[in-house]
Each structure stands twice: as C-alpha cells, then as structure tokens.
Amino acid sequence: MAASATYVYCVVHRGGPVGVRRMPPGVPGSSRPALLDISDGLSIAVSTVPLDVYGPEQIERRLHDLEWVANIALGHEAVVEHIGKIGGATVVPMKLFTMFSEPERAVEEMRSRRRQLSAVIKRIKDCQEWGVRVTRSAGTPQQQTRTRPIRTGVDFLAAKKRARDDERDLSARLHAEAEGVLLQLGRVSKQAKRRLPPDAAAPPPLLEAAFLVPRSGSARFKAAARQAARRCRTAGGDLALSGPWPAYNFIDGGERRT
C-alpha cells in the first residue's frame, strides 16, 4: 500500500453535530473528505492523500506548475465553501498543503491549538469575507479637454507639461478615492485588511482589500460598495466586489476599523 498523509482543509465549529452531505471530491487524487471530531463542537475536514503526489519533495518540485497548484486550490476551496454553508457552522480555513502523517496527529495538533482556534472562531463567527479591488478604468487616458494647437516648440513643451499635470492630478484623485473606499467600507465591516496585489498584476491595483462582514450586515456592506463604485467611476476608476468567501484573510487577524 502506498504511503499516505492526512490533508486538512479546515476546522469546523458548530453547537450540534455537523452533518455533511454530498461532500465535494477534495484535492486531486485524495479520498473523499470526511470530518474528524476534535472535542466540544470542533471537528476537522480531512482527506487521505498519496505521498508520491503530496510528499514534500513532490510539492516543492511542482509549486511552479500553476495549473497543478490551481487545481489543488480549487479542490481545497470547494470543500471549505461547502462546509461553510452548513447552518450555524463557523469554518476556519487551513492553508493549502496543511498535512500530517496520520489522522491522529492532525487531531492532536488541533487540540493543542484549541485556545488559538477558539479566539479565531470568536472573531469570525457569523461573518463572511468580501474582497474589493479598485483599478484605474481602461477608458481614462490622459485628459484631452485642454489640448491646444501645437505650432511652435514652446507650444509642444507646454502641451507636454499640461499632459503631465493632468496625469498627476488624475492619479492623485484615484489614489485618494481608493483610500476613501478602504475607510468607508471599513466602517460597515467588523475588520478590514489591505492585501498585497498579485505579483503578476500590471499595473498594480490602486487598492486590494478584504473585509470581514457580519452576515446580518451584508446588505448594508453591498450597498456601501455600490455607492463607492459610483464615486470611483466618477473619479476614473473601477471597483470590483467579490464574495462572499470563507474568512481566509482574517485567520491571523486584520486591521480594525471604527
């Protein structure tokens, strides 16, 4: 029998028994995910994975294979999101490739982290994560309303200066608007966290942020996001809202906004 490991998707807290039907298949090559009891309403979602695919050396070698990593991320997230839809459940997502040598070691580790997990659960209970990205609109090139006929070298230099000034003013307005979005949406969130843009983002977004929003306040948050999006468009930017997601970005806390 091939050597295997225990892959952990998330920790789940619920007052009563957690019944999960039609569990997604999990990460590629794994067994069907199942729940293991920890204690006092806590359980973990796990799969058995083969070490000839998920061993440390194999993972290290294939981390640059974006398609392979993406497929694993999709399988991982599908399980977390599926369990997160259970009524009354609070889900603490684990990082990709969280694994232990055997189920008993996974349970033992999570029990040893009970105090830390309880603090996280208290923070994210009855909340969802929403993502916001603010970018410069594709249709906002340098302003052209101030262009004048160019007849001399002096006219040319003056036009160049006007173009630089217009671009500087536009950039300043967009950055100010993006900061305003962070503050405005932070006021209708439990927590907010500025995120680093993806390495491949070119040009980088003006704002990449995550917001921890109580489920009961999701309508208010979305209304505030629509209002912020209208202001962004006026300033020459676009606001994209994504979610709701499990609280991936708030497992280690976030920036509190009041």
Side-chain angles (χ1 to χ4, degrees):
M1 183 176 179
S4 62
T6 298
Y7 187 102
V8 182
Y9 298 92
C10 58
V11 175
V12 190
H13 178 265
R14 192 169 186 242
V18 180
V20 181
R21 296 182 178 179
R22 299 180 181 177
M23 188 81 85
V27 296
S30 70
S31 66
R32 180 72 63 170
L35 293 176
L36 296 180
D37 181 65
I38 299 177
S39 64
D40 300 329
L42 280 183
S43 55
I44 52 177
V46 302
S47 282
T48 299
V49 293
L51 283 177
D52 58 359
V53 176
Y54 290 89
E57 294 181 3
Q58 287 76 8
I59 291 174
E60 182 68 26
R61 187 172 65 248
R62 300 194 68 178
L63 277 179
H64 298 293
D65 184 343
L66 297 183
E67 183 177 357
W68 182 74
V69 175
N71 286 334
I72 292 171
L74 287 172
H76 181 108
E77 187 167 318
V79 173
V80 175
E81 291 188 15
H82 183 82
I83 297 174
K85 294 176 182 177
I86 300 171
T90 301
V91 174
V92 181
M94 294 290 105
K95 294 181 179 179
L96 216 60
F97 302 116
T98 297
M99 292 184 291
F100 297 88
S101 59
E102 54 188 6
E104 292 77 13
R105 291 292 300 275
V107 170
E108 179 184 348
E109 173 64 19
M110 296 307 163
R111 282 177 177 164
S112 72
R113 295 167 55 186
R114 179 61 193 262
R115 181 175 295 181
Q116 176 190 357
L117 289 169
S118 295
V120 173
I121 289 165
K122 182 178 179 180
R123 182 168 62 245
I124 68 174
K125 182 177 175 61
D126 296 325
C127 291
Q128 299 169 316
E129 179 177 316
W130 291 83
V132 168
R133 173 178 290 183
V134 178
T135 56
R136 177 170 173 165
S137 298
T140 55
Q142 294 179 355
Q143 296 180 11
Q144 299 178 5
T145 57
R146 298 168 56 190
T147 57
R148 302 171 185 172
I150 297 176
R151 298 188 177 91
T152 67
V154 173
D155 291 340
F156 174 79
L157 292 176
K160 294 286 286 184
K161 181 179 184 303
R162 286 195 299 272
R164 288 195 300 269
D165 291 345
D166 287 346
E167 176 63 22
R168 182 194 61 208
D169 292 345
L170 175 61
S171 179
R173 286 199 306 274
L174 286 170
H175 279 89
E177 195 61 54
E179 291 303 307
V181 168
L182 184 63
L183 289 173
Q184 180 191 0
L185 297 186
R187 293 190 188 103
V188 292
S189 307
K190 186 175 181 180
Q191 288 183 294
K193 189 171 187 179
R194 191 192 301 269
R195 299 178 57 204
L196 293 175
D199 293 337
L206 300 162
L207 174 68
E208 186 89 29
F211 298 87
L212 186 66
V213 181
R215 293 177 188 272
S216 60
S218 60
R220 182 184 178 199
F221 178 83
K222 288 187 284 185
R226 288 193 295 269
Q227 184 182 54
R230 288 193 291 271
R231 287 205 309 272
C232 283
R233 283 195 297 271
T234 300
D238 290 322
L239 185 152
L241 178 67
S242 64
W245 311 107
Y248 283 102
N249 286 287
F250 296 94
I251 302 308
D252 298 321
E255 303 168 14
R256 182 172 296 279
R257 300 283 176 179
T258 58

